[in-house]
Structures are given as C-alpha cells and as structure tokens.
Amino acid sequence: MNEQPQQPLSRPLAQRVAAILWPSFLCAGIATMVLFALIDPVDLHAISFPEWKLSRTAGYSIGFFMFWLVTAAASTGTWLLLRRSAVLNQAGSNH
Amino acid sequence: MTSTLKNSDPTGAGDIGITVVDLYTSVEKIYPREVQGRYNRWRTASVWLLLGLYYLLPWLSIDGQPLVLFDLPARKFYVFGLIFWPQDFILLTGLLVLAALSLFFFTALAGRLWCGYACPQTVWTEVFIWLERLAEGPSGKRKRRDRGAWTLEKIWRKVFKHFLWLLFALWTGLTFVGFFTPITELTVNLWHWQAGGWETFWVLFYGFATWGNAGLLREQVCKYMCPYARFQSAMFDDDTLVISYDQARGEPRGSRSRKLAHAELADNKLGDCIDCTLCVQVCPTGIDIRQGLQYECIACAACIDVCDDVMQRMQYPTGLIRYTTQNAMAKQPGKIIRPRILLYAGLLLAILTAWIIGVSQRAPVMLDVMRDRNALFRELPDNQVENSFLLRIMNRTGQAQQFTVTASGIPGLEVHGMAQLSLEPGKIGSLPVTLRAPTQDIGLRNDISFTVQAQSEPGLNITEQSRFFGPRRSLR
Ligand code: SF4
Ligand code: SF4
C-alpha cells in the first residue's frame, strides 16, 4: 500500500480562513443567543446609544457581528501561536 | 497566493536544514461518481424529509398561530403550539443540551449517522449535486468538460448550473430568515423591494453561505471546517457501528476475468476485491475506505452501495464493505449495551424528563412580590397601618390579559387604590400596590398572600406569599 503523502506545513489560504471563521461563527451564534435571551436589544439600545435609530433586528445583527469579530480574533490568535517554527523561520513567508 | 515557501529565497533562511516537501497540495476537485443502492435510497428519503420540513414549516400555522416561528422581532417563539418567551431561556438551553447528547448517543451507537444522512451540509450538498447533474450531466462528462477548453456548451452549462444554484440558495436564505420573522410578510416585502435592510442582508448572507458550502466547498467543509468531525472519534469504541472494508476477505485484491473469478478464488490466489476502485470513485470525500477507518469518512455508505453492486455482478456474496464494528471485524465478541451507551442514554433520559416536566409546569402567569425598600410600614391617622409593595407580573399566555390583584391573610386587610394591570402577551409589567390593615388586628409581622387573577379566565391566577409589618404595640 502506498505511503501517506507528507502533510504540508501550512494549509492553503482558503482552509485557514475557513478554519478560523467557521468555529468562531458558531461560538458567536451561541453567545448572541445567550446574550439576547437575557437582554432585549431594545433595552440595550436605550442605555447605550439612544440617539441612534436601531430596530431589534439591527440590534441582534450588530450584537452577532461584534461577537463574531471577537471570536474570530481569538481563533486567529490561536492559529498564529500554533504555526510551526519552520514556517516562521522561512523569511518572507506570510503564513 | 502562497508560493513563497521555497528553499531558494535570497536570505538564505532556507539553508538551515529544513526540508520542505510539496507545501501546497492544492485541493483537488472531487467528482464523486453517481451511485445507486439501498443506502442511497435512504439518503434520498432523508433529504426529502428534512428539506421538505425545512422549506414547509415556516409557512404552516394552526389556528392563526405559526407552527414554528422564532419570532425575534417580537421576542416570542412558537414551537408546535407551545409559546416560549425569553424568560424560558433555561428550556432552550435544555433543548440544546438534549440535541448535543443525542448526537453523542447516536455517534457512540452507530457512528457518523448524522454526517451521512442528516447534516445540513450533506443534505444541501446532495441537492446541489442533483442540480449540477441536471445542468452538466454525470460526473465523468463533467470532469472531461472541466479539463477541456472553454466551449460555448461549457459556458452555457456552467451559467445554467449557477443560475439553478442561485435560485435554490436564495430560496434557502429566504426560508432561513422565515424561521425568525413571519415569512409571508417577508416574501411580500422582498417581492416589492421593501424588506428591511437587515432581513435582506440575512437572506443574502445565508443564501451565499449555502451556495459556497454546498456548491463549492462541499467535502472540504467536512474535512477542514467541521468541529464534529474532529471530536467524533472520542465517542467511538470498538463496538460502534462503522463502515469498513473486510480486509481479510478482500485481500489480496486484484482484477480478474469474470470466467476465472471463482476458480482463482478457490486457488486462494485472490481475495474478493477486484480492485475496480469504484469505491474510491464514488466517495464524496475522495478517500479509499480500503485503507481503514479514516476521519475523513462521513459514513455516507456510497462505497457500500457500489461495492455490493460489484459483488453481485461477480456473483460473490455482498458486504465486502459493510456496516460493522471493529470487534465484529476482528471476530471478537461485541455488545451493544455498554457503559458508554448507558451513560449517554441515562443522561439523555434524565434531561428529557426534566425538560418535559419543565415545559408542562410552566405557569401561564408569573408573579414576583417585592417590598418597598424605603419603609417597613407607615402609620395612618385613622388607626390603620400601610405597607407598600411592587408587584411584577408576567403574562405568558398568547392573549392580552387584564389582571386584578387581591390580598389576604389579615382580617380587614384591603388593597388601597388601583390594583389592575393590562398586559399584552409575553409582557412583564410592574404594579405598585399599597395595602392597609386596622392597627388592632396586626402583629409585628404577618404572613399575607397576594393573588393575581385574570379577569377573562377564572382558572388563570397565581398566588404569592409575602409579609405585612406593623408597629410594636405599647400594650403588651
Ligand atoms: S468497490 Fe469493492 S471490489 Fe471494487 S475496489 Fe472497492 S472494495 Fe474492491
Ligand atoms: S469511505 Fe465510503 S462511507 Fe466513507 S465517505 Fe467515502 S464513500 Fe462515504
């Protein structure tokens, strides 16, 4: 039986982006659910930026994207730390 | 995009002894061959059932009440005749825990059943492949055309495919948003270009995600993006049902003429696998099941279907690739009931019971009594004592209600002033209530109870305990 091909050091860009965005998307979804089950975006709106005109749907959406930003940042951090030294030592590499 | 990692970079950093071999295995496109057979029929049935439910449910209602609607703008969930409010959050959490536990349970029992038959990724990919086949023909043709030059036919077929995909993806996005906001209005509004910005955005977002995941990424979602694929093996043991190739029976593999088939077998030269590689060609994740259990395998059973067909044509017994367990393969005794299964099942049952009790015990009215924090009591000139309270009432029924508050526990106790509150469905209201009682009838602290009664429904009421304080009497 043929041998397993050697695993590449770094994954293609699309895979990396997907691996960062997708789990953070799921976590942001859960966090959004928990937050807005406990707090009505309308109430949140009243104590934060009452001068802006925001509907509930806008509140949910903005909340979700803020969570996603944070979770994606955490995922990106994890990816940065997990890169192998061989990749880092490669000058001019941007992975 | 990423071709910098070569050992020829001018800085010489590549000379520090790192050998880098073929860093960028670009993902090769997989053209899974069409397959027929009983498991494929199961999957088709599952696709119809699940997608049928998905596309239909938002449109259904009973007695003017939507059957399933997570009405986010109104903060109110309708689920098969039950109504949930944000206050029922704990029940929602319970439901998620139940879903996760069932996934564990079924995975331990029967492997990646979820992946092969029920995961939205699988189900939508299946439909996208049907549409692709409609526009571009079977996989072999598609592959040849993709490698060839851009002809007029290739162009119109591709355009037609993406057109079909787009329509289906948009419909999927619309349906998705329809689970969270009333779908009839949404459709009418979208049709007239009057839907809210965010609704339109989410329709497009979900549509785009479907198009990308089911149309373009496909098996890559399972291989590189799915967290479940990475931890499902934690639920596996040697008695878990998996799809496996029977090494002992199949090897040594090799092609043979059909006439010789049985004679060569008898000579023990060859195993049952004729090395037709059909099992590899049908595999949507592009693996060879004959190399053993691999995390990429989504247990779609396409390889079982195709190999059974080959075995039948060779007049060998079917099941060279089959649903089996590691123990059964190794001819070890296996058992279905084992600690892991019992644990998952026990937890599942316990939480399910608690959840059902929780749902059935939900009071249609909720009442919270808080005492006025500023003063314990107030003495009035006409030999009466007054206590103030704040009542928080929640109307969890589906209709608007008018509530009346009464109090009891002390002779002569009466509610002073207005003690009525109208509440829209799902709303919480606060009502300040002042109680008065004659001084001679009360002690230092007295147990009393508040009752909130809905005017339209005699059966709809709730009682909550509290305390009424009085002055220390000088004569005692
Ligand atoms: S389909 Fe069956 S016979 Fe053909 S290569 Fe696969 S295991 Fe062997
Ligand atoms: S190995 Fe077989 S069951 Fe697993 S994904 Fe491939 S075709 Fe499906």
Side-chain angles (χ1 to χ4, degrees):
Chain A
M1 208 158 287
N2 46 2
E3 272 179 40
Q4 285 277 331
Q6 186 165 347
Q7 291 263 333
L9 279 178
S10 192
R11 292 175 179 283
L13 181 71
Q15 276 176 33
R16 270 182 276 147
V17 171
I20 289 170
L21 287 187
W22 178 240
S24 52
F25 177 89
L26 291 180
C27 291
I30 294 173
T32 311
M33 245 165 53
V34 174
L35 176 73
F36 289 127
L38 301 176
I39 297 173
D40 186 339
V42 170
D43 296 343
L44 205 57
H45 177 217
I47 58 165
S48 54
F49 303 101
E51 65 277 10
W52 297 0
K53 260 193 91 175
L54 291 176
S55 68
R56 244 191 207 134
T57 314
Y60 293 126
S61 306
I62 294 169
F64 170 76
F65 279 108
M66 275 170 43
F67 273 127
W68 198 10
L69 202 70
V70 173
T71 48
S75 286
T76 311
T78 307
W79 164 70
L80 281 171
L81 294 177
L82 283 182
R83 282 181 311 165
R84 300 187 185 279
S85 56
V87 176
L88 291 171
N89 291 338
Q90 205 77 40
S93 128
N94 54 350
H95 317 286
Chain B
M1 150 188 78
T2 43
S3 56
T4 45
L5 265 186
K6 300 231 177 72
N7 278 355
S8 59
D9 61 280
T11 61
D15 299 329
I16 50 176
I18 310 164
T19 42
V20 182
V21 197
D22 182 24
L23 278 184
Y24 302 104
T25 45
S26 66
V27 185
E28 214 178 301
K29 193 163 173 200
I30 296 170
Y31 297 83
R33 198 188 163 104
E34 294 72 20
V35 62
Q36 258 127 42
R38 59 186 162 140
Y39 295 111
N40 192 54
R41 278 196 292 279
W42 275 111
R43 188 172 29 267
T44 310
S46 168
V47 168
W48 277 100
L49 177 75
L50 293 173
L51 288 191
L53 283 177
Y54 175 80
Y55 290 103
L56 216 64
L57 275 181
W59 296 95
L60 302 182
S61 56
I62 29 167
D63 304 336
Q65 184 175 307
L67 198 59
V68 176
L69 175 64
F70 305 101
D71 196 339
L72 289 181
R75 289 178 76 72
K76 181 154 95 167
F77 294 178
Y78 303 89
V79 185
F80 299 113
L82 297 172
I83 303 181
F84 295 91
W85 312 102
Q87 286 72 18
D88 297 319
F89 175 64
I90 184 82
L91 290 174
L92 183 69
T93 317
L95 214 54
L96 290 180
V97 173
L98 275 178
L101 267 176
S102 343
L103 188 62
F104 291 2
F105 176 73
F106 283 111
T107 305
L109 200 65
R112 296 174 71 172
L113 270 189
W114 163 260
C115 298
Y117 300 95
C119 178
Q121 178 61 24
T122 307
V123 169
W124 271 315
T125 300
E126 193 81 14
V127 177
F128 270 66
I129 290 181
W130 294 346
L131 295 175
E132 183 171 60
R133 206 171 295 157
L134 199 69
E136 294 197 57
S139 67
K141 267 203 187 139
R142 207 158 64 227
K143 193 169 180 175
R144 242 170 290 132
R145 200 180 299 116
D146 275 3
R147 302 227 161 124
W150 280 93
T151 61
L152 208 60
E153 190 198 359
K154 183 168 167 179
I155 293 173
W156 81 253
R157 280 184 186 274
K158 293 263 174 211
V159 170
F160 182 43
K161 172 178 84 176
H162 282 282
F163 172 71
L164 291 179
W165 279 3
L166 215 67
L167 276 189
F168 187 70
L170 282 179
W171 182 31
T172 307
L174 169 76
T175 309
F176 178 75
V177 176
F179 272 95
F180 301 99
T181 172
I183 195 166
T184 326
E185 279 166 51
L186 178 72
T187 315
V188 171
N189 287 345
L190 277 175
W191 188 252
H192 293 111
W193 297 97
Q194 277 169 353
W198 281 108
E199 274 100 1
T200 316
F201 168 80
W202 285 114
V203 169
L204 294 178
F205 184 95
Y206 200 83
F208 176 75
T210 311
W211 177 77
N213 284 339
L216 304 182
L217 289 174
R218 295 195 183 163
E219 80 288 344
Q220 295 185 54
V221 173
C222 311
K223 282 158 88 167
Y224 306 116
M225 287 163 72
C226 178
Y228 171 70
R230 302 291 166 133
F231 69 72
Q232 39 87 18
S233 60
M235 274 95 69
F236 271 53
D237 56 29
D238 288 347
D239 287 312
T240 300
L241 210 55
V242 291
I243 290 175
S244 180
Y245 162 75
D246 193 337
Q247 200 109 19
R249 190 185 135 191
E251 302 295 321
R253 66 183 78 157
S255 55
R256 65 210 67 181
S257 99
R258 211 181 279 194
K259 274 187 215 125
L260 278 180
H262 286 275
E264 283 194 45
L265 269 183
D267 287 352
N268 241 347
K269 274 198 214 130
L270 286 172
D272 275 0
C273 174
I274 64 167
D275 206 9
C276 62
T277 70
L278 276 174
C279 53
V280 183
Q281 294 176 42
V282 295
C283 179
T285 66
I287 58 169
D288 186 347
I289 188 71
R290 294 172 300 172
Q291 292 179 0
L293 194 60
Q294 293 148 77
Y295 99 90
E296 288 94 340
C297 170
I298 57 169
C300 69
C303 52
I304 301 188
D305 277 341
V306 79
C307 187
D308 275 355
D309 191 41
V310 172
M311 291 297 115
Q312 263 159 11
R313 271 189 265 169
M314 297 300 294
Q315 295 178 344
Y316 297 160
T318 59
L320 178 56
I321 304 175
R322 61 178 183 268
Y323 272 110
T324 180
T325 69
Q326 303 276 70
N327 271 340
M329 260 317 171
K331 306 235 157 45
Q332 300 287 322
K335 44 183 173 293
I336 295 176
I337 310 285
R338 45 200 200 272
R340 178 192 295 269
I341 295 287
L342 288 179
L343 179 74
Y344 290 148
L347 277 175
L348 204 56
L349 217 65
I351 297 180
L352 187 65
T353 317
W355 194 84
I356 291 174
I357 292 175
V359 168
S360 59
Q361 300 278 301
R362 280 188 317 162
V365 196
M366 267 184 5
L367 172 61
D368 236 355
V369 181
M370 282 165 291
R371 290 192 44 87
D372 181 6
R373 265 179 248 144
N374 294 322
L376 272 185
F377 59 88
R378 233 156 55 91
E379 281 178 280
L380 301 177
D382 56 349
N383 263 337
Q384 292 208 84
V385 174
E386 187 178 272
N387 278 206
S388 297
F389 301 84
L390 188 66
L391 268 56
R392 269 162 47 95
I393 305 170
M394 178 176 184
N395 173 12
R396 291 167 100 162
T397 65
Q399 295 84 38
Q401 301 284 357
Q402 171 92 16
F403 293 106
T404 311
V405 177
T406 52
S408 61
I410 307 171
L413 183 71
E414 57 172 37
V415 178
H416 179 72
M418 241 271 297
Q420 288 195 340
L421 187 65
S422 322
L423 280 178
E424 291 296 309
K427 288 281 180 293
I428 300 180
S430 299
L431 181 68
V433 173
T434 310
L435 295 186
R436 286 181 179 177
T439 313
Q440 75 269 11
D441 290 333
I442 57 169
L444 206 52
R445 30 155 74 177
N446 311 266
D447 289 330
I448 56 161
S449 55
F450 283 97
T451 302
V452 167
Q453 172 68 52
Q455 281 179 357
S456 58
E457 287 177 55
L460 194 61
N461 54 46
I462 185 165
T463 299
E464 194 71 27
Q465 307 300 319
S466 188
R467 288 232 168 88
F468 190 97
F469 290 96
R472 198 177 290 278
R473 294 233 197 99
S474 43
L475 291 172
R476 190 176 276 183

